[in-house]
């Protein structure tokens, strides 16, 4: 069907891969827990768009360029690692702020998450988080994702099929369907956690610090990645 071979195996492998924790899914969960369902879906939208662009680039041969040019791969991977580090630092700073304010009277968050990261800063300005843009940038600055899409998809494309681009498109649509389902579960799980986070600054501080630490780990892992690894 559409040049796809062994579809059941592809679906099983796809489910297992999507269920593995990564920076995109963790960020979506974090946004949903802090900002609610609507903002969670904005972050998810950034992931969808980023993955779509990466799949198009994969089909267009950018993966071959990254594999053939170690310099290009290195530049992209360090940009991605740097961006993940920047996100991690923001989370850790937010956790520190929450910890320092843990005994202050509770105030409503103007962004709907109940105080903390959304509270006005000392200068009177409220920090603005753009989940869609952050998730999109983190997705695009991951050269390993482009290589993954090619190496994974090609195993299930019939080389004799006259329209391989159509095969890649069908496989990509299945990725997005699985991703939408999984991220929706994370978003609604995160929104359920939001009520507990609103009442307990220490819990929010700990969760934000843990997320920041994980993002630093993702940054280190990406910075050590190789095109063939």
């Amino acid at each position: 069907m559409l040049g796809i071979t062994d579809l059941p195996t592809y679906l099983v492998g796809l489910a297992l891969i999507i269920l593995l924790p990564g920076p995109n899914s963790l960020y979506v969960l974090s946004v949903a827990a802090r900002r609610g369902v609507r903002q969670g879906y904005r972050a998810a939208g950034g992931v969808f768009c980023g993955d779509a662009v990466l799949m198009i680039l994969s089909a267009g041969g950018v993966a071959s360029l990254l594999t053939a040019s170690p310099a290009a791969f290195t530049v992209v991977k360090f940009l991605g690692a740097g961006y993940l580090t920047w996100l991690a630092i923001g989370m850790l700073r937010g956790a520190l702020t929450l910890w320092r304010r843990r005994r202050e009277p509770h105030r409503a968050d103007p962004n709907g998450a109940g105080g903390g990261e959304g509270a006005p800063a000392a200068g009177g300005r409220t920090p603005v988080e753009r989940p869609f843009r952050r998730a999109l940038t983190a997705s695009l600055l991951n050269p390993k994702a482009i290589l993954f899409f090619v190496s994974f998809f090609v195993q299930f494309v019939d080389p004799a099929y006259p329209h391989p681009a159509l095969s890649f498109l069908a496989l990509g649509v299945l990725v997005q369907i699985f991703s939408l389902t999984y991220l929706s579960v994370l978003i609604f799980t995160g929104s359920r956690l939001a009520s507990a986070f609103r009442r307990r600054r220490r819990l929010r501080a700990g969760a934000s610090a843990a997320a920041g630490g994980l993002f630093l780990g993702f940054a280190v892992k990406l910075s050590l990645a190789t095109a063939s690894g």
Side-chain angles (χ1 to χ4, degrees):
M1 180 182 68
L2 298 177
I4 300 175
T5 62
D6 201 2
L7 182 59
T9 301
Y10 172 77
L11 295 177
V12 171
L14 181 60
L16 293 175
I17 290 167
I18 288 179
L19 288 174
L20 290 174
N24 291 341
S25 58
L26 178 61
Y27 181 67
V28 171
L29 176 61
S30 172
V31 170
R34 292 181 289 110
R35 305 294 188 193
V37 172
R38 178 177 297 181
Q39 296 298 320
Y41 272 109
R42 287 186 179 180
V47 175
F48 299 148
C49 291
D51 284 350
V53 170
L54 293 182
M55 283 185 276
I56 292 172
L57 293 176
S58 302
V62 173
S64 299
L65 172 63
L66 292 176
T67 303
S69 174
F73 182 87
T74 299
V75 168
V76 176
K77 81 170 183 179
F78 279 117
L79 285 174
Y83 188 71
L84 291 178
T85 300
W86 180 75
L87 290 179
I89 291 173
M91 292 178 178
L92 293 173
R93 288 179 62 188
L96 181 60
T97 299
L98 284 170
W99 183 257
R100 289 173 174 172
R101 298 175 56 241
R102 64 189 182 278
R103 293 189 177 90
E104 293 180 9
H106 176 81
R107 292 183 298 176
D109 185 342
N111 291 303
E117 297 95 337
R125 295 184 60 186
T126 301
V128 177
E129 180 177 8
R130 296 179 174 84
F132 178 88
R133 189 172 69 181
R134 287 192 176 187
L136 176 63
T137 304
S139 296
L140 294 177
L141 293 178
N142 185 2
K144 294 293 288 185
I146 299 178
L147 301 179
F148 161 75
F149 283 129
V150 168
S151 62
F152 186 58
F153 283 8
V154 74
Q155 301 175 58
F156 302 96
V157 175
D158 184 355
Y161 188 68
H163 306 291
L166 190 58
S167 303
F168 268 76
L169 175 62
L171 294 172
V173 168
L174 291 174
V175 169
Q176 298 291 51
I177 291 174
F178 272 64
S179 181
L180 173 62
T181 302
Y182 177 56
L183 291 181
S184 293
V185 172
L186 292 183
I187 287 169
F188 284 99
T189 299
S191 67
R192 294 289 296 272
L193 294 174
S195 59
F197 287 169
R198 279 196 294 267
R199 295 189 300 269
R200 302 172 184 172
R201 283 201 180 99
R202 291 185 182 184
L203 179 61
R204 291 174 61 199
S208 184
L214 286 173
F215 266 72
L216 282 178
F218 292 135
V220 172
K221 182 178 179 180
L222 179 57
S223 68
L224 297 176
T226 60
S228 59

